[in-house]
């Protein structure tokens, strides 16, 4: 059974950094594009970043561009999200998801993790 598990969330002060990791089991991660999404309190889930099969192609939401970096290690079946210069507005539950379509649209994603909480204090 395919499963994605996020880790690395926590509490950090404004300007700090966190590194989230998404680990896959039960599926060949290298055959999927992997995205990160987040859901802020009271808001709908939104796109954060996307990485292609080889790790070269990347896409970022404007709100995180220049602060967040997505990367993958297909040998380890993991995708990471390095988050720097964090702001209180980055507080959210962060989800990783896998798709076979280059898209920011959540409906195109086949597999989802359970989410990890990131809280940025001011």
């Amino acid at each position: 059974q395919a499963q994605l598990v996020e880790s690395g969330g926590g509490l950090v002060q404004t300007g700090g950094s966190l590194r989230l990791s998404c680990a896959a089991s039960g599926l060949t991660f290298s055959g999927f594009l992997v995205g990160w999404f987040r859901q802020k309190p009271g808001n709908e889930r939104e796109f954060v970043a996307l990485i292609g099969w080889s790790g070269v192609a990347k896409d970022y939401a404007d709100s995180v561009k220049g602060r967040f970096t997505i990367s993958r290690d297909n040998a380890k079946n993991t995708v990471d999200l390095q988050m720097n210069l964090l702001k209180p507005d980055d507080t959210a539950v962060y989800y990783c998801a896998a798709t076979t379509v280059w898209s920011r649209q959540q409906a195109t994603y086949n597999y989802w993790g359970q989410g990890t909480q990131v809280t940025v204090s001011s």
Side-chain angles (χ1 to χ4, degrees), residues 9-122:
L11 174 64
V12 65
Q13 292 185 332
T14 297
S17 299
L18 279 176
R19 189 176 184 89
L20 305 183
S21 186
C22 174
S25 60
L27 76 164
T28 305
F29 222 16
S30 60
F32 290 86
L33 308 162
V34 179
W36 282 95
F37 293 79
R38 66 185 181 187
Q39 187 166 17
K40 301 177 184 180
N43 289 12
E44 295 184 352
R45 193 160 52 187
E46 63 182 19
F47 169 79
V48 174
L50 173 62
I51 191 165
W53 293 281
S54 68
V56 174
K58 300 177 183 181
D59 185 25
Y60 296 96
D62 287 345
S63 58
V64 306
K65 199 172 294 183
R67 299 188 298 123
F68 291 12
T69 302
I70 190 170
S71 62
R72 69 188 299 163
D73 186 335
N74 287 335
K76 296 181 179 179
N77 247 15
T78 58
V79 171
D80 290 349
L81 185 68
Q82 177 67 42
M83 306 186 296
N84 298 328
L85 300 175
L86 283 162
K87 309 172 183 179
D89 192 51
D90 294 316
T91 294
V93 177
Y94 284 72
Y95 301 87
C96 66
T99 180
T100 57
V101 177
W102 184 267
S103 171
R104 295 184 174 192
Q105 301 303 315
Q106 298 178 49
T108 64
Y109 285 75
N110 308 96
Y111 303 100
W112 289 84
Q114 82 291 345
T116 186
Q117 176 70 48
V118 171
T119 303
V120 185
S121 64
S122 57

